[in-house]
Structure formats: structure tokens, C-alpha cells
Amino acid sequence: GVNGFLVPSGDSELLADRIITLLSETELAECFGQAGREKILKQFSLAQCVMSHSSFFSDVCSLKRSK
């Protein structure tokens, strides 16, 4: 993955393996951390949150008017 490992629910052996990988490969862990941070900053910026909420409320108002 780009920002982490995807481990199926209940696969504790694979989870343990991935944790060991991140502990032993600090450069990979740092890359995952940076990629995750960038994704969150982009997806949840103030501008993005305002646009999402504005769109949601516009849709709600449109539905209410059409009834």
C-alpha cells in the first residue's frame, strides 16, 4: 500500500508480521506515515470540509423544496 498495510480482520499472524516489518524497516514506516498525513491534510482540509458540508446542505434543501 501507499500509506499502510491492509490486513484482513482476524489474521493476527499477518498483523504481527506487518508490525514487525514496520519496526524493522523505519524508512518504510516513515514513508507510510508521510503519505497518510498528506492524504488526511488533502481530504480533510478546511476548504474541503466546507465544500462537502455546503454540498450536503444544498442537497438537503433541494430535497425539502421538491416535496
Side-chain angles (χ1 to χ4, degrees):
V2 174
N3 55 18
F5 293 119
L6 184 60
V7 178
S9 177
D11 194 341
S12 56
E13 189 172 317
L14 182 57
L15 177 60
D17 181 61
R18 296 299 188 234
I19 291 170
I20 290 168
T21 298
L22 291 173
L23 291 172
S24 62
E25 297 181 28
T26 56
E27 188 174 312
L28 177 62
E30 288 175 12
C31 287
F32 279 171
Q34 185 62 36
R37 177 176 169 72
E38 289 172 10
K39 180 178 181 174
I40 293 301
L41 290 174
K42 182 179 178 183
Q43 286 186 328
F44 297 102
S45 68
L46 179 59
Q48 183 60 40
C49 289
V50 169
M51 286 181 6
S52 294
H53 282 81
S54 177
S55 176
F56 170 76
F57 287 117
S58 292
D59 291 347
V60 169
C61 290
S62 294
L63 288 172
K64 187 141 180 114
R65 278 183 277 206
S66 68
K67 289 186 176 185

